Amino acid sequence: MRRATITQYLIEQQRKHGNVPPELRLLIEVIARAVKRIGHSVTQGALADMLGSAGTENVQGEAQKKLDVVANEVLVEANLWGGQLAAMVSEELERPFIIPSEYPRGKYLLLMDPLDGSSNIDVNVSIGTIFSVLPCPEGREPDEQAFLQPGRNQVAAGFAVYGPSTMLVLTVGHGTAAFTLDRDLGTFFLTREPIEVPADTAEFAINVSNMRNWEPPVKRYIDECLAGKTGPREKDFNMRWVASMVADVYRILSRGGIFMYPRDAKHKEGRLRLMYEANPMALIVEQCGGAATNGRTRILDVQPTALHQRIGVVLGSKNEVERVTAYHR
Ligand code: AHG
Ligand code: MN
Ligand code: MN
């Protein structure tokens, strides 16, 4: 069977839905190329001196790993020349990087978590890259304000997983597709489409070390899961926590489940970032028939107030997400 490339998939999407003009396709192709380069560095690991910390901090006061810095540079550099972007922001950049006027400027805004799962870099566990594309409001400077749009405005979102295979998961608003990198050919090929997240599940993902800080609805939900067959849910639940959102979400896209990093007494706003973690993942999961809320409201409807804003995240199998959200009401 001949498998589609990313380019062919996007051309087909444009033909069917008119949602991928050539500039958006080119932007996604540039991101996919950058992802290949990052994946190569990840695979090289210690051989290319890619492990360990960079000795610097990002805007959020978090220690940066060498790969955080490398991945950010690769993505920024790759997108600087392309002509599809007006500006980009990243977890590793304090302010939006506005495309300098000597370069061609496009009409999109790119938001990214260049390297997700930093704590797993040095232990050889799956990590990834997350990105989100917003339209730049017409006739205005692509400053911070231009980025503060709700996630439902995203025209594309995706993430890469650098795991046993390098994969790229992508949505342009009509379903979600997964591509696997053929390392010999250097090409991503479509390997899963459509992706459907089952509405029910018996598997949850949460960092239980935060339990003492949880709000009562979260505590109630997890207690009920742990009670298993003899509890109110009348079935046993399994637990997984990779601590790389990309890997945890990919598992949910594969066999269902619920992923939670709720706000709690320690993470008062939540731990994950709205603009380049929660929003792209929420769009992808919704496009697979799942749901994503902050425990109270749909993530894609949240009006952002700051670039690096954090938010509670509950996403995955629809009926489970609705249950947790109902417990908060
Ligand atoms: P990042 O490496 O970009 O800072 O993101 C890490 C995130 C996410 O991938 C993961 O789900 C979560 O942090 C893990 O948090 P804990 O270390 O608290 O489990
Ligand atoms: Mn992250
Ligand atoms: Mn990161």
Side-chain angles (χ1 to χ4, degrees), residues 6 31-44 126-129 159-169 178-183 186-191 250:
I6 291 177
I31 295 167
R33 271 206 295 281
V35 157
K36 276 188 249 176
R37 280 194 59 183
I38 298 168
H40 178 69
S41 298
V42 169
T43 307
Q44 290 287 98
S126 295
I127 51 182
T129 295
F159 67 91
V161 189
Y162 312 113
S165 304
T166 292
M167 298 198 68
L168 192 75
V169 176
F179 300 82
T180 304
L181 179 64
D182 181 322
R183 289 184 216 243
T187 308
F188 278 106
F189 290 105
L190 184 63
T191 44
Y250 191 71

Side-chain angles (χ1 to χ4, degrees), residues 1 14 20 22-23 32 42 45 48 51 83 96 104 152 158 160 172 205 207 211 245 256 269 282 296:
M1 179 183 109
Q14 165 69 1
V20 192
E23 306 84 57
V42 169
L51 307 185
R152 60 172 183 268
V172 281
N207 184 340
M211 187 184 283
M245 190 189 201
E269 309 291 323
R296 289 155 181 85

Side-chain angles (χ1 to χ4, degrees), residues 30 44 51 108 110 242 252 256 268 289 293 305 307:
V30 170
Q44 290 287 98
L51 307 185
Y108 295 108
L110 176 64
V242 183
I252 288 172
K268 294 223 164 54
T293 74
T305 53
L307 274 186

